[in-house]
Amino acid sequence: MGERISKDGLPMGLEPLVFAFTGTGNVTNGALEIFQLLPHKMITIEDAKNIKSKPGPHKCVYGVMVEQKDLVCKPGSTEPFNLKHYRENPSEYKSIFHSNVAPACNVLINGIYWDE
């Protein structure tokens, strides 16, 4: 399959194919191992948003490493994302996954871990 993607590109109905990976643990690392068997290019969220408008053929699949700063924001704040503050005060933040990540990807590999 990888050789065919490299040679002919993805079928028109599938391209571009963008995988979003969340987390940094075993689940994500295992998924990345399989993903990397295909012809691929790692890109940013911003690149993923822009690549949707680029005509094919796309001769690889694309991967995005999603960070917590891509998933949440502090409403009304102009300061850069502060992971420590977010972890200590999660109720002050709102999800932006639906507007920032979801439109840019076709496949979500959810490797985020949390514990109550």
Side-chain angles (χ1 to χ4, degrees), residues 72-89:
V72 296
C73 74
K74 187 174 180 185
S77 177
T78 58
E79 296 180 22
F81 180 76
N82 182 318
L83 181 59
K84 182 177 187 288
H85 186 270
Y86 168 65
R87 289 191 174 157
E88 292 171 354
N89 306 280

Side-chain angles (χ1 to χ4, degrees), residues 11-12 15 19 22 24 30 38-41 46 54-55 58 61 66-68 72 85-86 90 92 99 101 110-111 116:
M12 292 302 285
E15 63 179 30
F19 289 75
T22 62
T24 58
L38 294 171
H40 67 280
K41 180 178 179 187
E46 291 307 314
K54 295 191 179 178
H58 292 264
V61 294
V66 179
E67 299 176 44
Q68 285 185 312
V72 296
H85 186 270
Y86 168 65
E92 294 181 20
S99 61
V101 177
N110 186 14
E116 290 188 33

